Amino acid sequence: MEDTELRQKFDALEKRIGDVYASAEKTRKYFLTLLVVTVIVFVLPLLGLVFAIPSFISTYSEITNI
């Protein structure tokens, strides 16, 4: 092989590696976004219920004692 052919192949491989890296970064950002959305949609309401359920129970027990 000549030097120019080898250099062209290395350049092509370098471009492909750059494309794979960009794709991996997009996937990483997607999973991070998915994790944040999961926390907002699922975990935060559960934490809210930790405070809401005792309040509801005390209100309900007051109503039943009347």
Side-chain angles (χ1 to χ4, degrees):
M1 273 195 210
E2 290 183 27
D3 249 1
T4 56
E5 288 178 34
L6 193 58
R7 185 68 194 157
Q8 286 175 349
K9 287 186 179 185
F10 279 136
D11 289 342
L13 282 174
E14 199 172 288
K15 183 186 178 307
R16 287 183 183 176
I17 289 172
D19 292 343
V20 168
Y21 177 77
S23 176
E25 282 300 306
K26 285 181 185 177
T27 304
R28 183 186 66 82
K29 288 179 184 177
Y30 171 75
F31 279 118
L32 180 63
T33 304
L34 189 63
L35 177 69
V36 169
V37 168
T38 301
V39 166
I40 290 171
V41 170
F42 186 72
V43 174
L44 288 179
L46 285 179
L47 290 175
L49 285 176
V50 167
F51 297 106
I53 289 177
S55 172
F56 175 74
I57 290 174
S58 68
T59 304
Y60 182 72
S61 65
E62 287 175 8
I63 291 172
T64 57
N65 287 337
I66 295 177

